[in-house]
Amino acid sequence: MIVLLHHREHSRAGEPLLILHGLFGNHANWGWHAARLAKRFAVYGLDLRNHGASPHGDDMSYATMVGDVLGWLDSQGMASCHLLGHSLGGKVAMQLALDSPQRVRKLVVVDIAPVEYPKSSASSRYAWLAALRELPVGEIETRAEADERLRRVIASRELRQFLLTNLERLPEGGYRWRLQLAAIEANLPALFAAPSTLGPFPGPALFLFGEQSEYRRDADRGLIGRLFPEAELQVLPRAGHWLHVEQPEASLAAIENFLLQDDDDRQCPA
Protein backbone atom coordinates (compact mmCIF):
# COMPACT_ATOMS: atom_id res chain seq x y z
CA MET A 1 0.00 0.00 0.00
CA ILE A 2 1.39 3.39 -0.96
CA VAL A 3 1.74 6.22 1.55
CA LEU A 4 1.29 9.93 0.88
CA LEU A 5 4.77 11.35 1.15
CA HIS A 6 5.51 14.54 3.04
CA HIS A 7 7.04 17.25 0.88
CA ARG A 8 8.50 20.74 0.99
CA GLU A 9 7.52 23.05 -1.85
CA HIS A 10 10.26 25.51 -2.77
CA SER A 11 8.65 27.09 -5.85
CA ARG A 12 5.72 26.56 -8.21
CA ALA A 13 7.25 28.43 -11.15
CA GLY A 14 8.78 26.38 -13.96
CA GLU A 15 8.95 22.71 -14.81
CA PRO A 16 8.54 20.42 -11.79
CA LEU A 17 11.68 18.96 -10.23
CA LEU A 18 11.45 16.32 -7.48
CA ILE A 19 14.40 15.72 -5.16
CA LEU A 20 14.76 12.39 -3.31
CA HIS A 21 17.24 12.16 -0.42
CA GLY A 22 19.46 9.27 0.63
CA LEU A 23 19.26 6.66 3.39
CA PHE A 24 18.89 8.18 6.90
CA GLY A 25 18.20 11.55 5.27
CA ASN A 26 15.23 13.82 4.65
CA HIS A 27 14.23 16.56 2.24
CA ALA A 28 16.20 19.19 4.17
CA ASN A 29 19.51 17.57 3.21
CA TRP A 30 19.12 19.12 -0.25
CA GLY A 31 17.66 22.41 0.96
CA TRP A 32 20.59 24.58 -0.20
CA HIS A 33 20.39 23.14 -3.73
CA ALA A 34 16.59 23.21 -3.75
CA ALA A 35 16.48 26.92 -2.88
CA ARG A 36 18.79 27.77 -5.77
CA LEU A 37 17.21 25.42 -8.30
CA ALA A 38 13.84 26.94 -7.36
CA LYS A 39 14.85 30.06 -9.30
CA ARG A 40 14.42 28.04 -12.50
CA PHE A 41 12.18 25.11 -11.57
CA ALA A 42 9.17 24.23 -9.44
CA VAL A 43 11.14 22.27 -6.82
CA TYR A 44 9.69 19.77 -4.38
CA GLY A 45 11.72 17.96 -1.74
CA LEU A 46 10.12 14.66 -0.73
CA ASP A 47 10.66 12.56 2.39
CA LEU A 48 10.79 8.88 1.47
CA ARG A 49 8.72 6.49 3.60
CA ASN A 50 10.18 5.80 7.06
CA HIS A 51 12.15 9.07 6.79
CA GLY A 52 11.47 12.66 7.79
CA ALA A 53 7.80 13.50 8.27
CA SER A 54 6.49 10.83 5.87
CA PRO A 55 4.41 7.90 7.11
CA HIS A 56 6.03 4.65 8.16
CA GLY A 57 5.56 1.24 6.58
CA ASP A 58 7.12 -2.21 6.92
CA ASP A 59 7.74 -2.62 3.19
CA MET A 60 10.64 -0.65 1.72
CA SER A 61 11.04 -2.46 -1.58
CA TYR A 62 11.95 -0.28 -4.53
CA ALA A 63 8.64 -1.13 -6.17
CA THR A 64 6.79 0.14 -3.10
CA MET A 65 8.84 3.34 -2.82
CA VAL A 66 8.38 4.02 -6.54
CA GLY A 67 4.65 3.57 -5.96
CA ASP A 68 4.81 6.21 -3.22
CA VAL A 69 6.46 8.73 -5.56
CA LEU A 70 4.05 7.97 -8.42
CA GLY A 71 1.17 8.33 -5.98
CA TRP A 72 2.52 11.72 -4.93
CA LEU A 73 2.80 12.82 -8.57
CA ASP A 74 -0.79 11.72 -9.17
CA SER A 75 -1.98 13.57 -6.06
CA GLN A 76 -0.40 16.75 -7.42
CA GLY A 77 -1.79 16.24 -10.93
CA MET A 78 1.72 16.01 -12.42
CA ALA A 79 1.99 13.91 -15.58
CA SER A 80 5.80 14.08 -15.57
CA CYS A 81 8.74 15.77 -13.87
CA HIS A 82 12.48 16.09 -13.68
CA LEU A 83 13.73 13.66 -11.05
CA LEU A 84 16.87 13.96 -8.91
CA GLY A 85 17.88 11.28 -6.41
CA HIS A 86 20.90 10.79 -4.19
CA SER A 87 22.05 7.36 -2.99
CA LEU A 88 18.88 5.51 -1.86
CA GLY A 89 16.83 8.24 -3.53
CA GLY A 90 18.90 7.70 -6.67
CA LYS A 91 17.95 4.04 -6.78
CA VAL A 92 14.28 4.92 -6.31
CA ALA A 93 14.62 7.48 -9.11
CA MET A 94 16.31 4.95 -11.42
CA GLN A 95 13.64 2.34 -10.75
CA LEU A 96 10.85 4.84 -11.44
CA ALA A 97 12.50 5.92 -14.70
CA LEU A 98 12.95 2.30 -15.80
CA ASP A 99 9.37 1.35 -14.87
CA SER A 100 7.57 4.50 -16.01
CA PRO A 101 9.78 6.43 -18.44
CA GLN A 102 6.88 8.60 -19.57
CA ARG A 103 6.77 10.18 -16.09
CA VAL A 104 10.41 11.37 -16.14
CA ARG A 105 11.61 14.23 -18.35
CA LYS A 106 15.22 14.28 -17.17
CA LEU A 107 16.90 12.05 -14.60
CA VAL A 108 19.75 13.03 -12.26
CA VAL A 109 21.32 10.22 -10.22
CA VAL A 110 23.82 11.28 -7.57
CA ASP A 111 26.58 8.90 -6.47
CA ILE A 112 24.87 5.57 -6.97
CA ALA A 113 24.69 3.03 -9.80
CA PRO A 114 22.03 0.47 -10.82
CA VAL A 115 23.94 -2.42 -9.24
CA GLU A 116 23.97 -4.54 -6.11
CA TYR A 117 26.59 -3.26 -3.72
CA PRO A 118 28.78 -5.60 -1.65
CA LYS A 119 28.01 -6.55 1.95
CA SER A 120 30.91 -4.38 3.10
CA SER A 121 28.93 -1.32 2.01
CA ALA A 122 25.93 -2.44 4.07
CA SER A 123 27.92 -3.38 7.18
CA SER A 124 28.66 0.23 8.12
CA ARG A 125 24.95 1.06 7.86
CA TYR A 126 24.13 -1.80 10.24
CA ALA A 127 26.65 -0.32 12.70
CA TRP A 128 24.99 3.09 12.41
CA LEU A 129 21.56 1.53 12.96
CA ALA A 130 22.78 -0.29 16.07
CA ALA A 131 24.20 2.95 17.47
CA LEU A 132 20.94 4.82 16.83
CA ARG A 133 18.83 1.98 18.28
CA GLU A 134 20.91 1.83 21.46
CA LEU A 135 20.75 5.57 22.10
CA PRO A 136 18.24 6.13 24.98
CA VAL A 137 16.47 8.95 23.17
CA GLY A 138 13.70 9.23 25.76
CA GLU A 139 16.30 10.09 28.43
CA ILE A 140 18.47 12.43 26.37
CA GLU A 141 18.25 16.07 27.49
CA THR A 142 20.25 17.79 24.73
CA ARG A 143 21.55 17.12 21.24
CA ALA A 144 25.06 17.63 22.58
CA GLU A 145 24.50 14.70 24.95
CA ALA A 146 23.24 12.57 22.06
CA ASP A 147 26.27 13.52 20.01
CA GLU A 148 28.63 12.62 22.84
CA ARG A 149 27.05 9.19 23.26
CA LEU A 150 27.19 8.49 19.52
CA ARG A 151 30.85 9.58 19.43
CA ARG A 152 31.78 6.39 21.26
CA VAL A 153 30.73 4.42 18.18
CA ILE A 154 30.78 6.89 15.27
CA ALA A 155 34.03 8.85 15.07
CA SER A 156 33.05 11.22 12.25
CA ARG A 157 31.51 14.43 13.60
CA GLU A 158 29.98 15.19 10.18
CA LEU A 159 28.29 11.78 10.07
CA ARG A 160 26.97 12.15 13.61
CA GLN A 161 25.52 15.56 12.82
CA PHE A 162 23.87 14.15 9.69
CA LEU A 163 22.30 11.27 11.62
CA LEU A 164 21.17 13.56 14.43
CA THR A 165 19.08 15.63 12.01
CA ASN A 166 16.59 12.78 12.49
CA LEU A 167 16.27 13.41 16.23
CA GLU A 168 13.03 15.19 17.11
CA ARG A 169 12.38 16.82 20.48
CA LEU A 170 9.12 15.90 22.19
CA PRO A 171 6.93 18.57 23.87
CA GLU A 172 7.00 16.63 27.15
CA GLY A 173 10.78 16.31 27.06
CA GLY A 174 13.17 13.82 25.62
CA TYR A 175 13.52 12.96 21.96
CA ARG A 176 12.39 10.43 19.41
CA TRP A 177 13.69 9.25 16.05
CA ARG A 178 11.75 10.34 13.01
CA LEU A 179 13.28 7.35 11.24
CA GLN A 180 11.52 3.99 11.40
CA LEU A 181 14.69 2.15 12.42
CA ALA A 182 13.18 -1.35 12.58
CA ALA A 183 11.78 -1.18 9.04
CA ILE A 184 15.03 0.24 7.64
CA GLU A 185 17.06 -2.52 9.28
CA ALA A 186 14.71 -5.26 8.10
CA ASN A 187 14.87 -3.98 4.53
CA LEU A 188 18.55 -3.03 4.37
CA PRO A 189 19.67 -6.06 2.31
CA ALA A 190 17.03 -5.24 -0.33
CA LEU A 191 18.09 -1.59 -0.37
CA PHE A 192 21.61 -2.58 -1.41
CA ALA A 193 20.27 -4.72 -4.26
CA ALA A 194 20.11 -3.59 -7.87
CA PRO A 195 16.93 -2.11 -9.34
CA SER A 196 14.94 -4.48 -11.52
CA THR A 197 15.88 -3.91 -15.14
CA LEU A 198 12.66 -3.34 -17.04
CA GLY A 199 14.15 -0.39 -19.00
CA PRO A 200 15.97 0.97 -20.73
CA PHE A 201 15.11 4.54 -19.90
CA PRO A 202 15.38 6.42 -23.21
CA GLY A 203 15.50 9.96 -21.86
CA PRO A 204 18.33 12.29 -20.84
CA ALA A 205 20.16 11.22 -17.67
CA LEU A 206 23.08 12.53 -15.65
CA PHE A 207 25.07 10.27 -13.32
CA LEU A 208 27.11 12.44 -10.97
CA PHE A 209 29.76 10.77 -8.79
CA GLY A 210 32.27 11.92 -6.20
CA GLU A 211 35.84 11.17 -7.17
CA GLN A 212 36.61 9.70 -3.74
CA SER A 213 33.32 7.80 -3.30
CA GLU A 214 33.23 4.05 -2.71
CA TYR A 215 30.17 4.00 -4.99
CA ARG A 216 32.12 5.17 -8.05
CA ARG A 217 33.30 2.05 -9.89
CA ASP A 218 34.50 1.99 -13.49
CA ALA A 219 33.03 -1.50 -13.86
CA ASP A 220 29.51 -0.06 -13.58
CA ARG A 221 29.79 2.22 -16.61
CA GLY A 222 28.71 -0.47 -19.06
CA LEU A 223 25.50 -1.29 -17.21
CA ILE A 224 24.66 2.39 -16.81
CA GLY A 225 25.08 2.79 -20.57
CA ARG A 226 22.84 -0.18 -21.34
CA LEU A 227 20.00 0.84 -19.00
CA PHE A 228 20.36 4.58 -19.61
CA PRO A 229 21.69 4.90 -23.17
CA GLU A 230 21.40 8.72 -23.17
CA ALA A 231 23.29 9.07 -19.88
CA GLU A 232 26.30 11.25 -19.35
CA LEU A 233 28.66 10.58 -16.46
CA GLN A 234 30.46 13.28 -14.51
CA VAL A 235 32.91 12.96 -11.63
CA LEU A 236 33.43 15.79 -9.14
CA PRO A 237 36.99 16.05 -7.82
CA ARG A 238 37.71 16.25 -4.09
CA ALA A 239 34.30 14.83 -3.20
CA GLY A 240 32.98 11.61 -1.71
CA HIS A 241 29.49 10.17 -1.33
CA TRP A 242 27.99 13.39 0.09
CA LEU A 243 29.26 15.44 -2.83
CA HIS A 244 26.39 17.93 -2.57
CA VAL A 245 27.75 18.89 0.88
CA GLU A 246 31.45 18.66 0.04
CA GLN A 247 31.21 20.43 -3.31
CA PRO A 248 27.95 22.41 -3.22
CA GLU A 249 28.74 24.96 -5.93
CA ALA A 250 30.24 22.42 -8.35
CA SER A 251 27.41 19.92 -7.87
CA LEU A 252 24.79 22.65 -8.32
CA ALA A 253 26.46 23.81 -11.53
CA ALA A 254 26.57 20.29 -12.94
CA ILE A 255 22.91 19.61 -12.11
CA GLU A 256 21.65 22.99 -13.29
CA ASN A 257 23.62 22.88 -16.57
CA PHE A 258 22.24 19.44 -17.33
CA LEU A 259 18.63 20.34 -16.55
CA LEU A 260 18.81 23.53 -18.59
CA GLN A 261 20.53 21.92 -21.57
CA ASP A 262 18.45 22.14 -24.73
CA ASP A 263 17.55 18.63 -25.82
CA ASP A 264 14.22 19.11 -27.62
CA ASP A 265 15.24 16.59 -30.26
CA ARG A 266 15.49 13.78 -27.73
CA GLN A 267 12.72 14.51 -25.23
CA CYS A 268 10.94 11.65 -23.51
CA PRO A 269 7.26 11.26 -24.31
CA ALA A 270 5.20 13.54 -22.08
Side-chain angles (χ1 to χ4, degrees), residues 106-109 201 203-207 228 230-233 258 266:
K106 287 187 177 183
L107 174 69
V108 180
V109 178
F201 171 66
L206 170 65
F207 282 72
F228 304 91
E230 295 299 318
E232 57 181 90
L233 276 67
F258 169 73
R266 55 173 187 152

Side-chain angles (χ1 to χ4, degrees), residues 140-154:
I140 295 293
E141 295 185 2
T142 65
R143 288 181 178 272
E145 180 185 349
D147 181 68
E148 179 60 28
R149 288 176 179 255
L150 284 182
R151 190 169 65 86
R152 302 166 192 172
V153 180
I154 301 173

Side-chain angles (χ1 to χ4, degrees), residues 140-180:
I140 295 293
E141 295 185 2
T142 65
R143 288 181 178 272
E145 180 185 349
D147 181 68
E148 179 60 28
R149 288 176 179 255
L150 284 182
R151 190 169 65 86
R152 302 166 192 172
V153 180
I154 301 173
S156 168
R157 181 180 182 276
E158 291 76 14
L159 176 57
R160 295 196 308 272
Q161 292 302 308
F162 165 69
L163 294 171
L164 287 171
T165 61
N166 296 292
L167 202 57
E168 182 178 47
R169 185 162 185 83
L170 298 172
E172 64 272 20
Y175 291 84
R176 73 178 180 96
W177 291 114
R178 291 189 295 174
L179 298 166
Q180 172 55 291

Side-chain angles (χ1 to χ4, degrees), residues 80-122:
S80 63
C81 67
H82 300 306
L83 189 57
L84 184 160
H86 171 240
S87 197
L88 171 64
K91 278 198 170 179
V92 175
M94 284 188 282
Q95 189 68 72
L96 193 156
L98 292 169
D99 291 352
S100 303
Q102 74 280 4
R103 306 299 296 268
V104 180
R105 302 180 190 181
K106 287 187 177 183
L107 174 69
V108 180
V109 178
V110 180
D111 212 67
I112 204 76
V115 300
E116 181 171 1
Y117 284 93
K119 292 181 179 178
S120 59
S121 297

Side-chain angles (χ1 to χ4, degrees), residues 7-62:
H7 74 275
R8 163 78 187 276
E9 179 185 287
H10 293 268
S11 171
R12 293 187 180 183
E15 296 180 341
L17 167 63
L18 272 57
I19 301 180
L20 308 180
H21 61 80
L23 186 64
F24 301 114
N26 59 71
H27 75 272
N29 301 149
W30 280 81
W32 186 89
H33 288 71
R36 285 151 182 80
L37 289 165
K39 297 174 183 177
R40 303 276 193 135
F41 302 93
V43 178
Y44 303 87
L46 273 59
D47 288 337
L48 297 173
R49 63 168 52 208
N50 297 321
H51 292 75
S54 282
H56 295 170
D58 293 336
D59 183 6
M60 283 187 69
S61 67
Y62 285 113

Side-chain angles (χ1 to χ4, degrees), residues 191-247:
L191 298 182
F192 276 82
S196 58
T197 54
L198 294 180
F201 171 66
L206 170 65
F207 282 72
L208 188 63
F209 288 94
E211 180 185 35
Q212 300 162 353
S213 173
E214 64 178 317
Y215 294 93
R216 183 179 73 87
R217 307 186 306 186
D218 290 339
D220 298 336
R221 287 176 174 263
L223 181 59
I224 292 173
R226 289 193 294 276
L227 293 179
F228 304 91
E230 295 299 318
E232 57 181 90
L233 276 67
Q234 294 187 36
V235 177
L236 289 188
R238 301 181 302 281
H241 187 54
W242 284 281
L243 57 86
H244 58 299
V245 176
E246 297 160 335
Q247 293 288 350

